[in-house]
Amino acid sequence: MPLDTGRIADLEVEPVNGGDPGLVDSYAPTLHSGADIGEALRTVREFRGLSLEELAERTRVRRSYLSAIEEMRLEQLPSRPFTIGYIRSYAQALGLDPEEAVYRFKADEPVLDEPLRAPVGVQEDRDPRLSALIAGGCVIVAAIFMWNIAQRAMIDAAPPPPLAPEKAVIEALTAQRDGPVTLGAPLPAPVESTTPPLYETPGLAKAGEDGMGNLAPPAILGVTSADAPPPDTSQLAPVFKPDGRIYGAPVGQPSFVTLKALKSGALIIRGADGSVYFARQLDKGEAYRIPAINGLMVDVSEPQAFQVFAGGQSRGFLPAALSSASKLGG
């Protein structure tokens, strides 16, 4: 509800029971009467013989708000700025100083979160170390700035680098010759760049190779190398007869050859890229059917521990520890 903040004429107070007006003024309550500003305003209103309805009509403030002000029920009033405006209008309607009424209200109900004013005449004490740190920082910054300026000035003032005499320059240009350049003999390679000797795998020659990556002479159907004793072929069966579990390509799938273990030995089947297709320690009588895949290599621990069968017919022992699967059935 808008407030009428215009000037309200002071109320004329009639003497009580025809008494002396001066005596009435001397006993009239003021804004400092009572325990708080609400009680002081109510005391002055009752002394003037005014009701809350009359005062509400004059101030254009709700009667409930005026009653709440007198009883200091601030939780029933609007925000603090509106409450201060109501108190100012209430005091002005009673012919009192509105600013003094507001001052009394703020003294009775201060706002705790309002910053306090610094006391007048009290010197503010500061930590002297803070001033020293600030001064030291300023000195350091100024010193760096002046050092950069001095360095730039020294560079600008430095003399130019010395030049070679003109005679020496002419002689150097005259000494230049056109034509092929003769190079000296090549220098030997550094020690760390020399090629290391070939690495020989321990036991590789004993397993069927000569140690240089070349296969040893084949030993198929009793043909052996000149310096090796002929293998015992009495244990070779003429046709394939399973005596144990058969691994590899299932029955009905194309197969190059079948390898049968005459005694326990390690068998590894590798692809052309070195990938392992099969690796197992075969017991005596177990066999492996090599799939019809080009590029397969047979790697065994002992060539004479495995018999080769092609089309069910014996082809003798494995020729070497490392053999091509496609050549075993040829």
Side-chain angles (χ1 to χ4, degrees), residues 180-186:
V181 178
T182 303
L183 299 179

Side-chain angles (χ1 to χ4, degrees), residues 14 36 41 54 57 109 158 189 193 286 295 305 308 316 325:
E14 297 293 338
D36 49 47
L41 292 175
E54 294 175 344
E57 183 178 357
E109 295 292 334
S193 299
E286 293 183 340
V308 181

Side-chain angles (χ1 to χ4, degrees), residues 50-250:
L50 297 174
S51 63
L52 285 176
E53 289 76 5
E54 294 175 344
L55 200 61
E57 183 178 357
R58 291 178 179 271
T59 59
R60 298 293 188 270
V61 179
R62 294 181 183 180
R63 181 185 181 281
S64 59
Y65 289 170
L66 297 177
S67 177
I69 290 174
E70 290 182 353
E71 298 177 7
M72 295 299 287
R73 289 182 278 106
L74 302 181
E75 68 278 359
Q76 300 180 4
L77 295 171
S79 59
R80 186 177 178 90
F82 282 96
T83 302
I84 292 175
Y86 297 157
I87 293 176
R88 183 179 284 107
S89 299
Y90 195 145
Q92 190 174 0
L94 294 177
L96 303 175
D97 186 359
E99 299 303 328
E100 186 177 356
V102 172
Y103 179 80
R104 173 73 189 276
F105 170 73
K106 291 183 178 181
D108 294 339
E109 295 292 334
V111 179
L112 299 180
D113 57 353
E114 285 185 355
L116 300 177
R117 296 181 180 180
V120 180
V122 178
Q123 184 178 1
E124 183 180 0
D125 295 333
R126 295 184 179 179
D127 191 352
R129 294 176 297 179
L130 179 60
S131 301
L133 290 176
I134 295 175
C138 294
V139 171
I140 293 174
V141 172
I144 295 174
F145 181 74
M146 296 301 296
W147 182 83
N148 289 331
I149 294 178
Q151 290 293 323
R152 184 177 296 273
M154 292 174 61
I155 293 175
D156 294 340
L163 300 178
E166 185 177 357
K167 182 179 180 181
V169 174
I170 295 174
E171 292 179 355
L173 294 177
T174 305
Q176 294 183 356
R177 296 178 180 179
D178 297 332
V181 178
T182 303
L183 299 179
L187 298 176
V191 177
E192 61 272 14
S193 299
T194 56
T195 304
L198 294 177
Y199 174 78
E200 180 180 353
T201 304
L204 188 60
K206 186 183 297 184
E209 293 188 4
D210 59 2
M212 299 300 292
N214 300 321
L215 294 177
I220 301 177
L221 300 178
V223 179
T224 60
S225 60
D227 56 349
D232 184 9
T233 60
S234 60
Q235 59 178 338
L236 298 179
V239 294
F240 175 74
K241 181 180 178 180
D243 295 331
R245 186 172 179 180
I246 301 177
Y247 300 94

Side-chain angles (χ1 to χ4, degrees), residues 5-32:
T5 56
R7 180 176 180 182
I8 301 177
D10 297 342
L11 300 178
E12 295 181 1
V13 182
E14 297 293 338
V16 181
N17 297 327
D20 185 5
L23 184 61
V24 173
D25 294 338
S26 61
Y27 288 96
T30 63
L31 290 173
H32 300 283

